[in-house]
Amino acid sequence: MTYSDISVFGRPSPSPSATASFNTDESGFPRDYVTLDLETTGFYPNRCAITEIGAVRVRNGRVIDQFQELINPLRPIPAQITALTGISDVMVADCDPIDEVLPRFIDWLADAPALSSPERIGIEPIVGHNVSFDLRFLDYNARHIAGSPFMCIDYDTMQISRVLFPEHRHHRLADLIVRFGIADNEEHRALSDAIQTQECFEWMHRYIQQNDLEHFGWRMVPAKTSADIRHRQLVLR
């Protein structure tokens, strides 16, 4: 069984019917998913490197497992990135590079316990804040390390917030955690940001359920940089 739509490091890709049958509730939110966040040395996968992967696995809205590793980017970390994240060259000097860490992360994604609805095919969507950024880095590195794309269906908490709360100008993770009463500050570390993203995702899930928003739905949109990554986006009708 293939989880998270991964087709790298020798794992077969699922059929189109399997891709469409991940487990959602009546509002279209996934019951089972992985929330992801990366820290990097910059904005561009072909010129920058991943310095940290953080992720949490969720079952029925509850975190049941987590993954976190610092990564040696094999290049100096810019001073402004260290000031933002606290991750320094010294911290990552003895850490493994991405070509060793990424296979372990893929194994963690694939080594998922039973899903909450066993009759469903075992596919876990990826949830993230501005998740396209993270997935571009994962896809770029998967293609260069394994020669295969990173495949997934994703939900973006930034996109959902923009649809639900158009009256607000800013939709950064730092804005959402304060607006939703989750925390006062974003730590800019991968695992803590993944946890806060999961809390924002569940907060908006409850908001839709409690407010009985009937005039919304979901659409599937291929990523601009890879047809193997599909964004599941909230839309108002």
Side-chain angles (χ1 to χ4, degrees):
M1 184 176 290
T2 301
Y3 294 88
S4 298
D5 252 354
I6 302 305
S7 67
V8 297
F9 304 109
R11 302 187 183 281
S13 61
S15 67
S17 60
T19 298
S21 58
F22 57 87
N23 186 18
T24 62
D25 65 11
E26 65 282 354
S27 65
F29 278 76
R31 299 178 187 274
D32 307 312
Y33 59 90
V34 167
T35 303
L36 166 75
D37 187 74
L38 306 181
E39 301 301 333
T40 69
T41 62
F43 298 109
Y44 305 104
N46 61 333
R47 302 204 301 265
C48 305
I50 301 171
T51 57
E52 188 176 31
I53 298 176
V56 293
R57 177 173 286 119
V58 178
R59 292 287 180 270
N60 280 326
R62 186 173 63 89
V63 174
I64 65 163
D65 196 11
Q66 65 184 42
F67 180 98
Q68 186 274 332
E69 281 205 44
L70 286 168
I71 300 164
N72 187 335
L74 304 178
R75 68 195 72 188
I77 299 174
Q80 64 269 27
I81 298 298
T82 296
L84 178 68
T85 67
I87 301 173
S88 65
D89 294 330
V90 173
M91 286 176 61
V92 299
D94 295 326
C95 296
D96 291 332
I98 190 62
D99 60 351
E100 296 181 34
V101 176
L102 187 57
R104 290 200 289 269
F105 180 56
I106 300 298
D107 285 343
W108 180 83
L109 287 173
D111 188 26
L115 300 176
S116 59
S117 293
E119 72 277 6
R120 295 283 187 155
I121 293 175
I123 293 176
E124 295 177 295
I126 300 291
V127 174
H129 195 80
N130 192 22
V131 70
S132 293
F133 174 88
D134 305 280
L135 294 177
R136 283 197 299 270
F137 271 86
L138 290 182
D139 184 56
Y140 178 86
N141 282 278
R143 290 176 187 271
H144 281 74
I145 296 169
S148 301
F150 187 95
M151 299 178 67
C152 72
I153 292 169
D154 69 74
Y155 289 75
D156 187 346
T157 49
M158 177 180 282
Q159 188 272 331
I160 296 171
S161 176
R162 283 174 170 163
V163 172
L164 289 180
F165 309 109
E167 69 276 12
H168 291 285
R169 181 177 179 182
H170 299 295
H171 299 271
R172 299 169 301 173
L173 181 60
D175 301 311
L176 267 58
I177 59 175
V178 173
R179 190 177 303 151
F180 300 161
I182 291 169
D184 294 327
N185 297 292
E186 179 186 358
E187 294 185 23
H188 293 287
R189 289 296 302 270
L191 182 58
S192 62
D193 285 2
I195 292 171
Q196 289 182 343
T197 297
Q198 187 269 337
E199 292 173 334
C200 289
F201 189 66
E202 291 298 334
W203 192 99
M204 290 186 287
H205 184 186
R206 292 191 299 271
Y207 178 87
I208 285 179
Q209 291 177 320
Q210 292 167 3
N211 287 274
D212 192 25
L213 298 181
E214 297 179 354
H215 303 292
F216 79 93
W218 300 91
R219 66 180 179 183
M220 201 76 78
V221 179
K224 294 180 179 178
T225 57
S226 174
D228 297 302
I229 296 172
R230 284 143 293 170
H231 307 315
R232 188 161 162 83
Q233 297 180 339
L234 184 70
V235 292
L236 293 181
R237 296 171 178 156

